[in-house]
Amino acid sequence: LEITVRGGGHSYAGACLTDDGLMIDLSRMRGVHVDPDARIARCGGGASWADVDGATQQFGLAVPGGMISHTGIGGLTLGGGIGWLTRRHGLVIDNLLAAEVVLADGAIVRASAEEHPDLFWALRGGGGNFGVVTEFEYRLHPIGPEIQFGLFFWPLDQTAEALRLSRDTIHGLNRDATGFIAPLNAPPESFVPEEYHLLPGTVLIIVGFGSAEEHAALVAPVREALPPLFELVTPMPYVALQQVFDAGFAWGIRAYTKSLYLEDLTDDAIAVIAEHLPAKRSPMTTVPIFMLGGAFRDVDDADTAFGGSRSACCWFVIDGLAPDAQTLAAERMWTRGLWQALRPLAVNAGGYVNAMAEYEENVVRESYGPKYDRLARIKAEYDPGNVLHHNANIKPA
Protein backbone atom coordinates (compact mmCIF):
# COMPACT_ATOMS: atom_id res chain seq x y z
CA LEU A 1 0.00 0.00 0.00
CA GLU A 2 0.98 3.59 -0.56
CA ILE A 3 1.72 5.23 2.81
CA THR A 4 0.99 8.84 3.74
CA VAL A 5 1.34 10.76 6.99
CA ARG A 6 -1.17 13.24 8.38
CA GLY A 7 -0.12 15.78 10.97
CA GLY A 8 -2.32 18.87 10.89
CA GLY A 9 -3.79 18.25 7.44
CA HIS A 10 -2.78 21.75 6.28
CA SER A 11 -0.99 20.72 3.07
CA TYR A 12 -1.99 22.69 -0.03
CA ALA A 13 -1.00 19.68 -2.11
CA GLY A 14 -2.99 17.23 0.01
CA ALA A 15 0.21 15.35 0.84
CA CYS A 16 -1.51 13.22 3.47
CA LEU A 17 -4.04 11.84 0.97
CA THR A 18 -3.80 9.01 -1.52
CA ASP A 19 -6.33 6.67 -3.08
CA ASP A 20 -6.24 3.02 -1.96
CA GLY A 21 -3.44 3.71 0.52
CA LEU A 22 -2.75 3.81 4.24
CA MET A 23 -2.77 7.12 6.10
CA ILE A 24 -0.78 7.27 9.33
CA ASP A 25 -2.88 9.82 11.22
CA LEU A 26 -1.06 11.51 14.09
CA SER A 27 -3.90 13.85 15.01
CA ARG A 28 -4.64 12.16 18.37
CA MET A 29 -1.00 12.54 19.47
CA ARG A 30 -1.52 16.09 20.74
CA GLY A 31 0.02 16.06 24.20
CA VAL A 32 2.27 18.97 25.20
CA HIS A 33 4.57 18.76 28.23
CA VAL A 34 6.20 22.01 29.35
CA ASP A 35 9.26 22.27 31.58
CA PRO A 36 9.21 26.00 32.44
CA ASP A 37 12.49 25.87 34.37
CA ALA A 38 14.46 24.29 31.54
CA ARG A 39 12.34 26.21 28.98
CA ILE A 40 11.66 23.08 26.96
CA ALA A 41 8.42 21.76 25.48
CA ARG A 42 7.89 18.18 24.28
CA CYS A 43 5.00 17.99 21.86
CA GLY A 44 3.19 15.10 20.19
CA GLY A 45 3.61 14.85 16.45
CA GLY A 46 -0.10 15.52 15.84
CA ALA A 47 -0.34 18.69 17.93
CA SER A 48 -1.47 21.98 16.45
CA TRP A 49 0.04 25.35 17.25
CA ALA A 50 -3.10 26.09 19.27
CA ASP A 51 -2.24 23.08 21.46
CA VAL A 52 1.35 24.26 21.90
CA ASP A 53 0.47 27.92 22.49
CA GLY A 54 -2.23 27.03 25.00
CA ALA A 55 0.19 24.96 27.07
CA THR A 56 3.27 27.17 26.88
CA GLN A 57 1.49 30.49 27.45
CA GLN A 58 0.42 29.30 30.88
CA PHE A 59 4.05 30.00 31.79
CA GLY A 60 4.53 33.10 29.63
CA LEU A 61 6.61 31.07 27.16
CA ALA A 62 6.33 30.29 23.46
CA VAL A 63 7.83 28.19 20.70
CA PRO A 64 8.46 30.28 17.58
CA GLY A 65 5.62 28.82 15.49
CA GLY A 66 3.50 29.72 12.52
CA MET A 67 0.70 32.25 12.01
CA ILE A 68 -2.43 30.07 11.92
CA SER A 69 -3.34 28.23 15.09
CA HIS A 70 -4.94 25.19 13.44
CA THR A 71 -1.77 24.37 11.51
CA GLY A 72 -0.09 21.15 12.63
CA ILE A 73 3.34 21.55 14.17
CA GLY A 74 4.74 18.59 12.20
CA GLY A 75 4.58 19.83 8.64
CA LEU A 76 5.41 23.41 9.56
CA THR A 77 8.46 22.39 11.59
CA LEU A 78 9.89 19.90 9.12
CA GLY A 79 9.74 22.42 6.26
CA GLY A 80 11.40 25.20 8.26
CA GLY A 81 8.67 27.17 9.99
CA ILE A 82 8.20 30.91 9.40
CA GLY A 83 5.98 32.98 11.70
CA TRP A 84 5.51 35.98 13.96
CA LEU A 85 8.65 35.25 16.00
CA THR A 86 11.06 34.54 13.13
CA ARG A 87 12.84 37.90 13.29
CA ARG A 88 13.03 37.67 17.09
CA HIS A 89 13.93 33.99 17.66
CA GLY A 90 14.46 32.38 14.26
CA LEU A 91 12.64 29.64 12.38
CA VAL A 92 10.89 26.81 14.17
CA ILE A 93 13.77 24.51 13.18
CA ASP A 94 16.25 26.89 14.81
CA ASN A 95 14.49 26.10 18.09
CA LEU A 96 14.15 22.33 17.60
CA LEU A 97 16.28 20.46 20.12
CA ALA A 98 15.40 16.86 19.32
CA ALA A 99 12.85 14.62 17.60
CA GLU A 100 11.56 11.09 18.13
CA VAL A 101 11.34 9.48 14.70
CA VAL A 102 9.80 6.25 13.46
CA LEU A 103 11.84 5.26 10.42
CA ALA A 104 10.57 3.57 7.27
CA ASP A 105 11.68 0.16 8.58
CA GLY A 106 9.81 0.65 11.87
CA ALA A 107 12.85 1.45 14.02
CA ILE A 108 12.44 4.26 16.55
CA VAL A 109 15.32 6.69 16.99
CA ARG A 110 15.98 10.00 18.70
CA ALA A 111 17.57 12.63 16.50
CA SER A 112 19.47 15.55 18.01
CA ALA A 113 22.82 17.27 17.75
CA GLU A 114 24.34 14.32 19.65
CA GLU A 115 22.27 11.39 18.30
CA HIS A 116 21.87 10.74 14.59
CA PRO A 117 23.12 14.26 13.82
CA ASP A 118 22.82 13.74 10.06
CA LEU A 119 19.14 12.84 10.44
CA PHE A 120 18.64 15.81 12.76
CA TRP A 121 20.18 18.11 10.15
CA ALA A 122 17.87 16.71 7.46
CA LEU A 123 14.73 16.99 9.59
CA ARG A 124 15.33 20.70 9.99
CA GLY A 125 13.99 21.75 6.61
CA GLY A 126 13.99 18.51 4.61
CA GLY A 127 10.31 17.80 5.17
CA GLY A 128 8.68 14.45 5.92
CA ASN A 129 11.12 12.49 3.77
CA PHE A 130 13.09 10.78 6.53
CA GLY A 131 10.59 9.31 8.97
CA VAL A 132 7.42 9.91 10.95
CA VAL A 133 8.14 12.35 13.78
CA THR A 134 6.06 11.35 16.80
CA GLU A 135 7.52 13.91 19.21
CA PHE A 136 9.19 17.30 18.84
CA GLU A 137 11.30 18.86 21.59
CA TYR A 138 11.53 22.65 21.37
CA ARG A 139 13.37 25.49 23.07
CA LEU A 140 11.00 28.02 24.68
CA HIS A 141 11.28 31.80 24.92
CA PRO A 142 9.59 34.35 27.19
CA ILE A 143 6.72 35.87 25.15
CA GLY A 144 3.48 37.45 26.27
CA PRO A 145 1.03 36.69 27.62
CA GLU A 146 0.18 40.10 26.10
CA ILE A 147 1.64 41.72 23.00
CA GLN A 148 1.01 45.04 21.23
CA PHE A 149 -0.83 44.88 17.90
CA GLY A 150 -1.09 47.50 15.17
CA LEU A 151 -2.91 47.03 11.85
CA PHE A 152 -3.05 49.65 9.09
CA PHE A 153 -4.98 49.35 5.80
CA TRP A 154 -4.65 51.31 2.55
CA PRO A 155 -6.85 50.96 -0.58
CA LEU A 156 -5.79 49.43 -3.88
CA ASP A 157 -4.84 52.75 -5.53
CA GLN A 158 -2.18 53.26 -2.84
CA THR A 159 -0.58 49.83 -3.22
CA ALA A 160 2.88 51.01 -4.28
CA GLU A 161 3.11 53.71 -1.60
CA ALA A 162 1.82 51.34 1.09
CA LEU A 163 4.28 48.61 0.17
CA ARG A 164 7.26 50.98 0.13
CA LEU A 165 6.30 52.45 3.49
CA SER A 166 5.71 48.99 4.98
CA ARG A 167 9.07 47.71 3.74
CA ASP A 168 10.98 50.67 5.09
CA THR A 169 9.14 50.54 8.42
CA ILE A 170 9.93 46.86 9.00
CA HIS A 171 13.56 47.33 8.03
CA GLY A 172 13.78 49.94 10.78
CA LEU A 173 12.42 47.68 13.54
CA ASN A 174 14.62 46.11 16.19
CA ARG A 175 14.00 42.64 17.59
CA ASP A 176 11.45 43.87 20.12
CA ALA A 177 8.99 44.21 17.24
CA THR A 178 8.13 42.50 13.99
CA GLY A 179 6.11 43.35 10.91
CA PHE A 180 3.98 41.65 8.29
CA ILE A 181 2.69 42.91 4.93
CA ALA A 182 -0.18 41.52 2.86
CA PRO A 183 -2.19 42.76 -0.09
CA LEU A 184 -5.65 41.40 0.76
CA ASN A 185 -9.31 42.32 1.01
CA ALA A 186 -10.42 44.03 4.21
CA PRO A 187 -12.04 41.44 6.48
CA PRO A 188 -15.73 41.81 7.41
CA GLU A 189 -14.81 42.28 11.09
CA SER A 190 -16.29 44.65 13.66
CA PHE A 191 -13.19 46.89 13.75
CA VAL A 192 -13.50 47.53 9.98
CA PRO A 193 -16.06 50.19 8.95
CA GLU A 194 -18.86 48.41 7.11
CA GLU A 195 -18.34 50.37 3.89
CA TYR A 196 -14.83 48.92 3.65
CA HIS A 197 -15.72 45.26 4.14
CA LEU A 198 -13.96 43.15 1.46
CA LEU A 199 -12.37 46.24 -0.11
CA PRO A 200 -9.07 45.29 -1.83
CA GLY A 201 -5.95 46.92 -0.48
CA THR A 202 -2.78 46.40 1.54
CA VAL A 203 -2.36 45.74 5.24
CA LEU A 204 0.68 46.36 7.42
CA ILE A 205 0.79 44.72 10.85
CA ILE A 206 3.35 45.78 13.45
CA VAL A 207 3.61 43.58 16.53
CA GLY A 208 5.45 44.87 19.56
CA PHE A 209 6.85 42.66 22.31
CA GLY A 210 7.65 45.58 24.61
CA SER A 211 5.50 48.26 26.23
CA ALA A 212 2.48 50.04 24.79
CA GLU A 213 4.48 53.28 24.79
CA GLU A 214 7.28 51.73 22.75
CA HIS A 215 4.76 50.34 20.27
CA ALA A 216 3.00 53.70 19.97
CA ALA A 217 6.30 55.30 19.04
CA LEU A 218 6.79 52.68 16.28
CA VAL A 219 3.37 53.08 14.68
CA ALA A 220 3.03 56.87 14.87
CA PRO A 221 5.36 57.52 11.88
CA VAL A 222 3.35 55.05 9.78
CA ARG A 223 0.12 56.92 10.45
CA GLU A 224 1.77 60.25 9.71
CA ALA A 225 3.58 59.17 6.53
CA LEU A 226 0.52 57.70 4.80
CA PRO A 227 -2.79 58.04 6.66
CA PRO A 228 -4.54 54.65 6.51
CA LEU A 229 -8.14 54.07 5.49
CA PHE A 230 -8.63 52.43 8.88
CA GLU A 231 -6.46 51.03 11.66
CA LEU A 232 -6.56 48.92 14.80
CA VAL A 233 -3.97 49.50 17.52
CA THR A 234 -4.52 47.52 20.70
CA PRO A 235 -2.90 45.15 23.18
CA MET A 236 -3.97 41.54 22.76
CA PRO A 237 -3.04 38.10 24.11
CA TYR A 238 -0.26 36.33 22.22
CA VAL A 239 -2.64 33.40 21.61
CA ALA A 240 -5.04 35.84 19.89
CA LEU A 241 -2.22 37.05 17.64
CA GLN A 242 -1.68 33.45 16.61
CA GLN A 243 -5.35 33.25 15.56
CA VAL A 244 -5.62 36.51 13.60
CA PHE A 245 -5.65 34.71 10.23
CA ASP A 246 -7.51 31.55 11.26
CA ALA A 247 -10.80 32.57 9.66
CA GLY A 248 -9.15 33.54 6.37
CA PHE A 249 -7.65 30.05 6.06
CA ALA A 250 -10.63 28.12 7.40
CA TRP A 251 -11.14 24.42 6.73
CA GLY A 252 -12.95 23.66 3.49
CA ILE A 253 -11.64 26.47 1.29
CA ARG A 254 -10.02 25.66 -2.02
CA ALA A 255 -6.44 26.80 -2.28
CA TYR A 256 -3.46 27.07 -4.60
CA THR A 257 -0.13 28.62 -3.70
CA LYS A 258 3.26 29.61 -5.04
CA SER A 259 6.18 31.22 -3.23
CA LEU A 260 9.68 32.53 -3.74
CA TYR A 261 12.45 34.40 -1.95
CA LEU A 262 13.58 37.90 -2.86
CA GLU A 263 16.75 39.66 -1.77
CA ASP A 264 14.42 42.48 -0.74
CA LEU A 265 11.00 43.94 -1.51
CA THR A 266 12.52 46.19 -4.15
CA ASP A 267 10.74 48.94 -6.04
CA ASP A 268 10.81 46.67 -9.11
CA ALA A 269 9.02 43.91 -7.18
CA ILE A 270 6.51 46.42 -5.83
CA ALA A 271 5.76 47.60 -9.37
CA VAL A 272 5.03 44.01 -10.46
CA ILE A 273 2.72 43.45 -7.49
CA ALA A 274 0.84 46.71 -8.02
CA GLU A 275 0.34 45.87 -11.69
CA HIS A 276 -1.10 42.40 -11.02
CA LEU A 277 -3.27 42.98 -7.93
CA PRO A 278 -6.29 44.57 -9.68
CA ALA A 279 -6.78 41.39 -11.74
CA LYS A 280 -7.32 39.00 -8.83
CA ARG A 281 -10.96 37.90 -8.58
CA SER A 282 -11.45 36.17 -5.25
CA PRO A 283 -11.73 38.37 -2.13
CA MET A 284 -10.17 35.47 -0.21
CA THR A 285 -6.90 35.56 -2.15
CA THR A 286 -3.99 37.15 -0.30
CA VAL A 287 -0.30 37.81 -0.88
CA PRO A 288 1.58 37.47 2.44
CA ILE A 289 5.00 39.12 2.43
CA PHE A 290 7.39 38.20 5.23
CA MET A 291 10.29 40.58 5.76
CA LEU A 292 13.02 38.35 7.19
CA GLY A 293 16.20 39.28 9.03
CA GLY A 294 17.16 39.47 12.68
CA ALA A 295 17.41 36.02 14.25
CA PHE A 296 16.59 34.38 10.91
CA ARG A 297 20.04 35.42 9.71
CA ASP A 298 21.88 34.50 12.91
CA VAL A 299 21.97 30.84 11.85
CA ASP A 300 24.51 29.81 9.24
CA ASP A 301 22.89 28.62 6.03
CA ALA A 302 24.74 25.30 6.18
CA ASP A 303 23.61 24.45 9.72
CA THR A 304 20.17 23.20 8.66
CA ALA A 305 18.56 21.69 5.60
CA PHE A 306 16.23 24.68 5.22
CA GLY A 307 15.78 25.39 1.53
CA GLY A 308 15.45 29.16 1.71
CA SER A 309 18.54 31.32 1.55
CA ARG A 310 19.36 32.95 4.89
CA SER A 311 20.61 35.96 2.92
CA ALA A 312 17.11 36.68 1.60
CA CYS A 313 15.26 39.59 3.20
CA CYS A 314 11.84 38.73 1.83
CA TRP A 315 9.70 35.59 1.55
CA PHE A 316 6.86 36.18 -0.87
CA VAL A 317 3.77 33.96 -0.94
CA ILE A 318 0.81 34.04 -3.32
CA ASP A 319 -2.22 32.30 -1.79
CA GLY A 320 -5.00 31.83 -4.33
CA LEU A 321 -8.04 31.02 -2.17
CA ALA A 322 -11.58 30.47 -3.37
CA PRO A 323 -14.98 29.19 -2.17
CA ASP A 324 -15.62 27.07 -5.27
CA ALA A 325 -13.79 25.24 -8.06
CA GLN A 326 -14.64 27.75 -10.80
CA THR A 327 -13.22 30.68 -8.88
CA LEU A 328 -10.16 28.66 -7.93
CA ALA A 329 -9.42 27.96 -11.59
CA ALA A 330 -9.18 31.70 -12.22
CA GLU A 331 -7.13 32.31 -9.09
CA ARG A 332 -4.73 29.52 -10.03
CA MET A 333 -3.99 31.26 -13.33
CA TRP A 334 -3.59 34.61 -11.57
CA THR A 335 -1.28 33.11 -8.95
CA ARG A 336 0.93 31.54 -11.59
CA GLY A 337 1.04 34.78 -13.56
CA LEU A 338 2.22 36.87 -10.62
CA TRP A 339 4.74 34.19 -9.63
CA GLN A 340 6.19 34.05 -13.15
CA ALA A 341 6.45 37.85 -13.26
CA LEU A 342 8.42 37.87 -9.99
CA ARG A 343 10.72 34.94 -10.76
CA PRO A 344 13.40 37.06 -12.51
CA LEU A 345 13.79 38.93 -9.20
CA ALA A 346 13.99 35.79 -7.03
CA VAL A 347 16.99 34.45 -5.13
CA ASN A 348 16.58 31.03 -6.75
CA ALA A 349 14.18 29.22 -9.05
CA GLY A 350 12.59 27.22 -6.23
CA GLY A 351 10.47 28.24 -3.27
CA TYR A 352 9.45 27.26 0.25
CA VAL A 353 8.48 23.58 0.48
CA ASN A 354 5.71 24.38 2.98
CA ALA A 355 4.04 26.62 0.39
CA MET A 356 3.75 24.38 -2.66
CA ALA A 357 0.52 23.24 -4.26
CA GLU A 358 2.31 20.76 -6.50
CA TYR A 359 5.62 19.05 -5.92
CA GLU A 360 7.42 19.47 -9.23
CA GLU A 361 10.73 17.62 -9.02
CA ASN A 362 12.80 20.40 -10.59
CA VAL A 363 11.28 23.05 -8.30
CA VAL A 364 11.91 20.92 -5.20
CA ARG A 365 15.51 20.37 -6.28
CA GLU A 366 16.00 24.07 -7.00
CA SER A 367 14.48 24.96 -3.63
CA TYR A 368 17.22 23.05 -1.80
CA GLY A 369 20.00 23.99 -4.21
CA PRO A 370 23.40 22.53 -3.22
CA LYS A 371 21.88 20.90 -0.10
CA TYR A 372 19.83 18.52 -2.23
CA ASP A 373 22.63 16.02 -2.83
CA ARG A 374 23.39 15.73 0.90
CA LEU A 375 19.68 15.26 1.63
CA ALA A 376 19.51 12.53 -1.03
CA ARG A 377 22.39 10.67 0.62
CA ILE A 378 20.71 10.87 4.04
CA LYS A 379 17.44 9.75 2.46
CA ALA A 380 19.23 6.70 1.06
CA GLU A 381 20.37 5.79 4.57
CA TYR A 382 17.07 6.23 6.39
CA ASP A 383 14.47 5.51 3.67
CA PRO A 384 16.23 3.75 0.79
CA GLY A 385 12.94 2.49 -0.64
CA ASN A 386 11.42 5.98 -0.70
CA VAL A 387 8.44 4.75 1.30
CA LEU A 388 7.71 8.31 2.43
CA HIS A 389 7.29 10.08 -0.88
CA HIS A 390 3.92 11.86 -0.73
CA ASN A 391 5.65 15.17 -0.07
CA ALA A 392 8.20 17.54 -1.55
CA ASN A 393 10.09 14.40 -2.31
CA ILE A 394 13.81 13.94 -2.11
CA LYS A 395 14.72 10.76 -3.94
CA PRO A 396 17.31 8.46 -2.36
CA ALA A 397 20.77 8.88 -3.85
Side-chain angles (χ1 to χ4, degrees):
L1 292 174
E2 292 282 285
I3 292 177
T4 64
V5 182
R6 182 186 188 276
H10 239 260
S11 166
Y12 282 92
C16 63
L17 301 175
T18 185
D19 292 331
D20 302 318
L22 173 68
M23 177 196 288
I24 300 172
D25 187 352
L26 305 178
S27 61
R28 292 175 64 185
M29 303 180 70
R30 303 179 71 152
V32 178
H33 178 268
V34 180
D35 183 339
D37 296 324
R39 291 186 179 174
I40 291 174
R42 296 198 305 275
C43 310
S48 69
W49 287 109
D51 297 323
V52 176
D53 294 334
T56 57
Q57 278 292 282
Q58 294 181 45
F59 305 96
L61 300 170
V63 179
M67 299 182 70
I68 300 169
S69 72
H70 49 75
T71 307
I73 67 171
L76 189 85
T77 300
L78 295 173
I82 298 172
W84 291 113
L85 299 179
T86 297
R87 285 170 53 90
R88 186 175 175 87
H89 295 300
L91 298 172
V92 181
I93 55 171
D94 301 334
N95 296 275
L96 183 65
L97 300 174
E100 179 185 78
V101 189
V102 181
L103 303 177
D105 65 359
I108 302 173
V109 301
R110 175 183 167 86
S112 68
E114 294 76 31
E115 304 170 83
H116 298 277
D118 54 343
L119 176 60
F120 186 56
W121 179 86
L123 292 175
R124 289 176 292 159
N129 280 285
F130 306 95
V132 181
V133 180
T134 48
E135 184 178 84
F136 295 88
E137 185 176 307
Y138 298 108
R139 180 186 301 109
L140 296 170
H141 301 274
I143 294 290
E146 185 177 86
I147 55 90
Q148 307 298 322
F149 182 84
L151 179 150
F152 303 88
F153 184 91
W154 297 274
L156 193 62
D157 61 2
Q158 292 184 299
T159 296
E161 300 97 313
L163 290 176
R164 286 195 293 267
L165 173 61
S166 299
R167 172 198 64 198
D168 295 344
T169 299
I170 296 175
H171 279 328
L173 298 177
N174 61 29
R175 298 193 189 190
D176 284 333
T178 194
F180 172 75
I181 312 166
L184 47 70
N185 290 59
E189 299 288 349
S190 59
F191 70 89
V192 180
E194 190 170 350
E195 64 267 29
Y196 301 143
H197 285 190
L198 300 181
L199 185 76
T202 297
V203 68
L204 167 65
I205 295 176
I206 299 177
V207 176
F209 301 106
S211 69
E213 292 75 19
E214 290 169 333
H215 188 251
L218 292 176
V219 302
V222 173
R223 188 184 296 117
E224 295 165 3
L226 190 66
L229 203 58
F230 62 85
E231 65 175 68
L232 174 66
V233 178
T234 181
M236 68 168 56
Y238 174 74
V239 292
L241 172 68
Q242 290 286 79
Q243 299 167 9
V244 162
F245 293 111
D246 281 12
F249 289 82
W251 295 109
I253 61 172
R254 291 162 172 82
Y256 181 85
T257 190
K258 289 281 193 182
S259 74
L260 41 76
Y261 296 94
L262 306 175
E263 287 290 355
D264 200 354
L265 184 59
T266 62
D267 288 349
D268 287 342
I270 288 172
V272 171
I273 299 163
E275 177 186 352
H276 281 74
L277 277 180
K280 83 177 182 73
R281 298 185 185 181
S282 172
M284 303 170 72
T285 292
T286 181
V287 186
I289 303 171
F290 297 79
M291 302 303 291
L292 305 171
F296 171 77
R297 301 178 110 179
D298 288 348
V299 178
D300 189 83
D301 196 45
D303 287 349
T304 70
F306 178 63
S309 169
R310 298 275 181 166
S311 67
C313 279
C314 177
W315 174 46
F316 192 92
V317 191
I318 314 165
D319 282 323
L321 309 176
D324 56 70
Q326 183 177 358
T327 308
L328 181 64
E331 293 305 275
R332 183 184 293 112
M333 295 299 294
W334 181 85
T335 298
R336 289 173 174 166
L338 177 53
W339 181 72
Q340 288 287 2
L342 285 167
R343 285 191 84 188
L345 305 174
V347 172
N348 61 34
Y352 179 39
V353 295
N354 279 352
M356 290 184 177
E358 58 242 325
Y359 297 130
E360 299 155 303
E361 184 176 349
N362 65 312
V363 176
V364 172
R365 183 180 286 272
E366 290 164 352
S367 297
Y368 287 110
K371 297 180 183 181
Y372 187 91
D373 289 342
R374 181 181 175 185
L375 286 165
R377 292 193 297 271
I378 297 171
K379 174 76 168 179
E381 180 179 355
Y382 289 96
D383 183 14
N386 205 12
V387 172
L388 301 170
H389 62 266
H390 280 267
N391 48 35
N393 192 232
I394 295 164
K395 289 183 168 60

